[in-house]
Amino acid sequence: MRLVNRTFDELQPGDTAELRRLITQDDLYGFASVSGNFNPMHLPNEDGDGDGHPDGIAPGMFVASLLSAVLGSRLPGPGTLYRRQGLEFHQHVREGDELITRVTVLSKAPNGEVTLATEIRRVADAALVLSGEAVVIAPTFKFDRDDIEVPGLIVQRHRHFDAFLETARPLPALVTAVVCPEEANSLDGALLAMKESIITPILVGHAAAIRAAAAALGADLTGIEIVEAATHAEAAALACALVHEGRAQAVMKGHLHTDDLLKPMVDRDKGLRIGRRFTHVFVMDVPGQPHPVMVTDAAINIAPDLATKVDICQNAIDLALSLGMEPKVGVLSAVETVNPAIQSSIDAALLSKMADRGQIRGGLVEGPLAMDNAVDLAAARSKGLKGGVAGQANILVVPGIDAGNMLAKQLAFISHAEGAGLVLGAKVPVILNSRSDSSMSRLASCAVAAIHHFHVLGATKA
């Protein structure tokens, strides 16, 4: 953005400047973080006055700060310093309001001070929300530059998961066999999802340990079915049995090893196989990204061959469609060209061609792609890559479990993403989180499972 000021000598009474600004949820969170003002009246989705409705009122001093944006950037512009500011607040501003901030020069003083009328109005109805007068020291040095760089700020908010929760809440509660919720964190996620009416849990495991975990949380298990199982293996087998009996619509991992959970599920007679390979998808909500990002497979298939990667792609596409996404599958390798010495690049090219021939259905598949040109449009264009996936991928198919695990954890611990984990290819969704995952991740996983289950159920009935 080019910044040009008006020096004291250039200013004349009647000179005016203005800026428009849409007030967003990120503005409210950002101001709370920077200022330390955590008044719930000013936070989205919080009820600060007890009337049962979220308030989302923009803090008065945040609204007033828009005046400094005009004074410091437009009129008088760079070099301006405040002396004093009078403020009168007329109406509240809420997230979603668009405001127009205007300053007008009233007078100049010999000591370099300039007095300006200041006002902020709501664009929709021209209502005056703030008025006052500012006295500033105007610049005497001419400033005209377009190379001022200000780092962007990313609010660590998980808006995509919020949207999943909003979609899942009206659905029937998904009856879920929770296997070995014998530790506070794993039990808390299930109870939180129950509180949100997303699942109805059946707790399968050592009953005394489950009740001890509930006691540690201060949670009441009254009315929740507990199925006794002496061992982890027995609990996992009982969960499969509950599915076959029609009593459970999903399975959720508690505090046990993934191998112990999945072993009875792959049993040919009593397991949950339906034909495709079991594959795992992380649905990642990465702050600042315009869409969720799926990483697959990062938890089950160690070194998948081409046939397994076909199922990995198809399962992820099916999940993306159920979540309302337009599936764009980037098959990752170290390079974006086929190299006979790099097997993942060969597999990626074959998967892309198989999608062209209808062997993978429902989404766009492109590869090989390196990570940068899979998710960054500028990087893709710099390599001359075109099409509907390069630079826009929302499903990332990794070469193997090493790459997938590292990518998912980098997104979580460096980019502050939350991840929902789901196993696909079974008779029912299998909610699979790490034992160290937060309750929010477990809640989001339940929401994703519920949305997927009822989408598939609806498609089957249709």
Side-chain angles (χ1 to χ4, degrees):
M1 183 176 106
R2 186 181 177 195
L3 293 178
V4 182
N5 67 2
R6 302 282 295 277
T7 65
F8 179 82
D9 293 337
E10 293 173 327
L11 291 169
Q12 298 296 327
D15 288 346
T16 188
E18 62 185 37
L19 282 174
R20 284 184 174 227
R21 174 69 175 264
L22 177 67
I23 306 304
T24 68
Q25 285 193 357
D26 283 358
D27 290 330
L28 305 191
Y29 283 125
F31 186 80
S33 179
V34 171
S35 69
N37 178 5
F38 301 135
N39 181 352
M41 295 292 292
H42 303 314
L43 296 176
N45 306 317
E46 295 291 342
D47 177 16
D49 55 12
D51 65 356
H53 300 285
D55 299 297
I57 297 173
M61 294 312 295
F62 168 69
V63 176
S65 73
L66 302 180
L67 296 171
S68 69
V70 184
L71 293 169
S73 300
R74 297 290 180 88
L75 187 74
T80 300
L81 293 173
Y82 255 127
R83 289 300 302 272
R84 54 188 175 272
Q85 171 76 61
L87 298 172
E88 184 174 356
F89 298 92
H90 303 280
Q91 292 194 27
H92 294 311
V93 173
R94 299 179 184 274
E95 59 177 280
D97 285 345
E98 186 178 12
L99 304 179
I100 186 164
T101 304
R102 183 179 293 111
V103 303
T104 303
V105 176
L106 297 177
S107 63
K108 298 165 60 176
N111 63 354
E113 290 185 351
V114 177
T115 301
L116 303 97
T118 57
E119 69 171 34
I120 299 178
R121 292 182 180 271
R122 192 164 44 234
V123 171
D125 56 5
L128 182 67
V129 299
L130 185 153
S131 64
E133 277 191 3
V135 178
V136 302
I137 299 295
T140 57
F141 172 77
K142 189 65 179 178
F143 189 99
D144 185 346
R145 286 172 55 188
D146 61 1
D147 59 348
I148 300 297
E149 295 288 342
V150 178
L153 299 179
I154 296 176
V155 176
Q156 292 177 22
R157 183 164 65 89
H158 300 102
R159 68 187 75 199
H160 305 304
F161 280 3
D162 290 342
F164 291 156
L165 292 174
E166 289 300 313
T167 301
R169 285 188 185 105
L171 298 173
L174 188 70
V175 181
T176 303
V178 186
V179 183
C180 300
E182 300 165 352
E183 172 271 339
N185 196 35
S186 58
L187 178 62
D188 189 44
L191 297 180
L192 183 59
M194 182 185 71
K195 182 180 179 181
E196 295 283 349
S197 302
I198 294 172
I199 73 169
T200 297
I202 300 174
L203 309 180
V204 185
H206 188 30
I210 293 171
R211 291 192 175 93
L217 292 169
D220 183 4
L221 299 183
T222 301
I224 300 176
E225 182 178 359
I226 299 177
V227 177
E228 176 67 41
T231 66
H232 289 177
E234 182 184 352
L238 284 172
C240 292
L242 289 171
V243 172
H244 286 297
E245 293 166 9
R247 295 183 57 205
Q249 300 166 303
V251 175
M252 182 176 184
K253 178 187 173 186
H255 194 66
L256 77 164
H257 196 279
T258 299
D259 289 346
D260 292 333
L261 177 71
L262 297 181
K263 186 175 180 180
M265 294 184 185
V266 297
D267 182 87
R268 292 189 179 276
D269 298 321
K270 299 181 180 180
L272 303 181
R273 287 178 177 270
I274 56 172
R276 284 190 203 159
R277 291 163 179 81
F278 286 8
T279 68
H280 181 269
V281 178
F282 273 122
V283 183
M284 310 293 293
D285 188 340
V286 186
Q289 286 295 307
H291 52 71
V293 176
M294 294 186 181
V295 178
T296 185
D297 181 333
I300 294 180
N301 293 285
I302 296 173
D305 58 14
L306 181 64
T308 302
K309 288 180 180 179
V310 171
D311 286 350
I312 288 172
C313 289
Q314 192 64 64
N315 284 342
I317 288 171
D318 292 348
L319 178 60
L321 289 171
S322 70
L323 296 176
M325 297 167 59
E326 181 182 355
K328 298 180 180 181
V329 182
V331 188
L332 298 183
S333 184
V335 292
E336 64 280 344
T337 55
V338 176
N339 184 331
I342 303 176
Q343 184 61 42
S344 61
S345 73
I346 299 172
D347 289 349
L350 291 171
L351 291 167
S352 180
K353 180 54 67 177
M354 292 172 79
D356 290 344
R357 299 290 171 87
Q359 292 172 270
I360 300 172
R361 300 173 303 280
L364 299 175
V365 180
E366 187 174 335
L369 293 173
M371 181 65 187
D372 57 345
N373 47 57
V375 298
D376 186 88
L377 201 54
R381 287 173 175 169
S382 72
K383 295 291 182 69
L385 300 176
K386 300 178 181 179
V389 176
Q392 308 170 69
N394 53 22
I395 299 173
L396 302 176
V397 175
V398 297
I401 198 169
D402 285 347
N405 187 273
M406 285 185 273
L407 174 56
K409 288 182 178 176
Q410 285 165 353
L411 292 174
F413 290 96
I414 296 177
S415 299
H416 307 288
E418 288 278 7
L422 208 63
V423 174
L424 303 169
K427 186 175 181 179
V428 297
V430 179
I431 301 163
L432 187 66
N433 289 94
S434 168
R435 282 176 283 183
S436 62
D437 278 348
S438 68
S439 295
M440 177 61 188
S441 286
R442 297 174 190 273
L443 174 62
S445 298
C446 292
V448 169
I451 295 168
H452 182 58
H453 171 80
F454 289 108
H455 175 86
V456 172
L457 187 64
T460 302
K461 289 182 177 179

